[in-house]
Amino acid sequence: MTAQGISNGRRLFRFGLLAAAALLGGCASFSADGGMGTIQSATYADIGKDVVKVGDDQAALTAKARVDQLLRKPLTADAAVQVALLNNRGLQAAFNDLGMAEAQMVAASLPPNPRFGISKRSGTFELEIERQIAASLLALATLPARAEIARDRFQTAQMRTVEAVLKLAADTRRQYYRAAAANAQVTFYQEAKSSADAASELFKRLGESGGVNKIDQAREFAFEAELTVQLAQARQLQRQERERLVRQLGLWGDDLKFRVGSLPPLPRLQSVKAVEAEALRKRVDLRIARADLDMLAKSLGLTQATRFVNDIDLLGRRTYDRGRVITEDGHVEREVRRSRTLELEIDIPIYDFGQSKVALAEQTYMQAANKLAEKAVNIRSEAREAYTAYRANYDITRQYQNNVLPLRKIILDQSLLQYSGMLTDVTDLITDARNRILSNVAAINARRDFWIAHTDFKHALIGGGSGGGGPATVAAASGGDAGGGH
């Protein structure tokens, strides 16, 4: 290769670099916080909690210190939610998804990569060097529209991340109430079992002395045995609910010694007007659906604009050809030829003038529009249903607290007095004691269901959490055997 050919190749390469640099001036770049600022602001505004993306050792140490501080005291529902938002690895994976979405946005905003090529062919008497550069003009012309769609996709990814945060918060809060209710049931059954054990011991002695007949003694022993079974079932449920909460919190090792607090007392009834309008204004999943529809509209416009052309390529070629020619008198002379070529290649779909692409885009858009309309209808219904459940569970719980439990206590106290005065037999006493146990357990479950309904109602207005009909199953962390206090 001659010095002139090398110089021309360098000039061509420098020109390509300058053109690429000029195009890169308007490209998107990575944000300093990876898009987490929007997530943190929305989370604090909706539920008053902090979220942190653990991307280095310092962030991990800071989050761990905050979690340890919260775990030193018996957990409240709010503290459990904060621990989950700082410590759940599934949520951190959602933050990684957001980082990947940002990388895809930046990549989509870059101009198409040019294709460089160089070839050399040599023989005994000739040498041919060809350099070429090609680029897609269609991709370059549609770059602003594609970059705008990519930014919209990233903003939608941010809203989906907010939705994941809110869902984890709602699921953790529901599971906390289940675990706290299971603890309360175990505590109550233990108290009832202690009383039944003392009564059984008394009946055993009375039976030995002939002070009570065998059928009354057997009834008391059967009642004590049933309580033993119910206590064992309550303890098994307590362990299950605790482990489900452990998975939400992302805890393992020594952190499993945390203690769950008690169920909160019944608050004042929350009266909310225009729940449908508030849900339509705040629901994050509805905002996601609207953003998806806007993004599809832009994609449909781009498809319609480029329906007749699949691609346009610009190709620049420079050829250096050197050979030897033998003249008539037998002398060998050198012949050098240089040429430049500019080619334009257009890929035209002659069998399908974009009808299938446009039809597909239109149907995709209409599908999203119909789903958005359906979601708006469902959200109105979900808000009404959640408020109805919240109000009904409030009334049920208050009825147990104000009427059922006080009356059950009066009945049992009077039954004891009558039994002591030999005005009734042990059958009535055992029946009243059993009914009081059932009423107390039902009251605990009613308070649990109220707080779950309260959580469902709150998240029916902001999104990110469906009704808590069963155990929550949000990403689990690695762990060991659960243990510790309750």
Side-chain angles (χ1 to χ4, degrees), residues 396-463:
I396 292 170
T397 306
R398 187 174 60 177
Q399 182 71 8
Y400 270 107
Q401 286 187 181
N402 297 346
N403 298 312
V404 176
L405 294 185
L407 289 172
R408 283 297 180 193
K409 186 177 185 304
I410 292 173
I411 291 171
L412 184 60
D413 291 343
Q414 293 300 313
S415 182
L416 283 169
L417 289 174
Q418 291 183 1
Y419 177 76
S420 299
M422 295 187 177
L423 300 175
T424 185
D425 60 16
V426 72
T427 303
D428 295 333
L429 180 63
I430 292 175
T431 300
D432 292 336
R434 182 182 288 111
N435 289 336
R436 181 172 180 267
I437 290 172
L438 293 176
S439 294
N440 274 274
V441 172
I444 292 172
N445 291 337
R447 192 141 55 106
R448 174 203 63 195
D449 293 342
F450 163 76
W451 283 109
I452 291 177
H454 182 274
T455 302
D456 292 343
F457 175 52
K458 179 177 180 180
H459 285 271
L461 299 181
I462 63 176

Side-chain angles (χ1 to χ4, degrees), residues 203-256:
F203 269 71
K204 180 180 179 181
R205 293 178 182 178
L206 290 173
E208 292 172 352
S209 63
V212 66
N213 60 47
K214 288 189 176 294
I215 190 169
D216 288 343
Q217 188 181 34
R219 286 191 180 107
E220 177 60 31
F221 290 164
F223 177 59
E224 189 270 342
E226 288 175 355
L227 274 179
T228 301
V229 172
Q230 291 167 347
L231 177 59
Q233 292 172 338
R235 283 174 173 163
Q236 175 62 19
L237 178 62
Q238 180 189 44
R239 288 189 288 267
Q240 290 177 349
E241 300 293 8
R242 181 181 176 85
E243 286 301 330
R244 290 165 182 163
L245 180 60
V246 164
R247 292 196 289 272
Q248 296 293 326
L249 302 180
L251 299 178
W252 63 285
D254 292 338
D255 291 337
L256 295 177

Side-chain angles (χ1 to χ4, degrees), residues 317-346:
R317 182 182 291 111
R318 182 185 178 92
T319 304
Y320 171 83
D321 190 4
R322 186 186 67 190
R324 294 180 181 180
V325 178
I326 301 177
T327 60
E328 294 180 355
D329 56 2
H331 290 86
V332 178
E333 295 182 357
R334 178 180 297 178
E335 182 181 22
V336 177
R337 297 183 298 274
R338 294 183 178 88
S339 64
R340 297 182 181 87
T341 307
L342 187 66
E343 300 178 2
L344 188 67
E345 295 182 357
I346 303 177

Side-chain angles (χ1 to χ4, degrees), residues 299-318:
S299 298
L300 174 60
L302 182 61
T303 301
Q304 291 174 333
T306 60
R307 59 181 298 185
F308 296 111
V309 179
N310 283 342
D311 202 1
I312 303 176
D313 283 341
L314 181 66
L315 177 65
R317 182 182 291 111
R318 182 185 178 92

Side-chain angles (χ1 to χ4, degrees), residues 296 299-309 352-366:
L296 285 174
S299 298
L300 174 60
L302 182 61
T303 301
Q304 291 174 333
T306 60
R307 59 181 298 185
F308 296 111
V309 179
D352 179 6
F353 289 98
Q355 294 96 330
S356 59
K357 291 193 297 183
V358 172
L360 177 61
E362 287 176 346
Q363 292 304 313
T364 303
Y365 175 82
M366 290 306 302

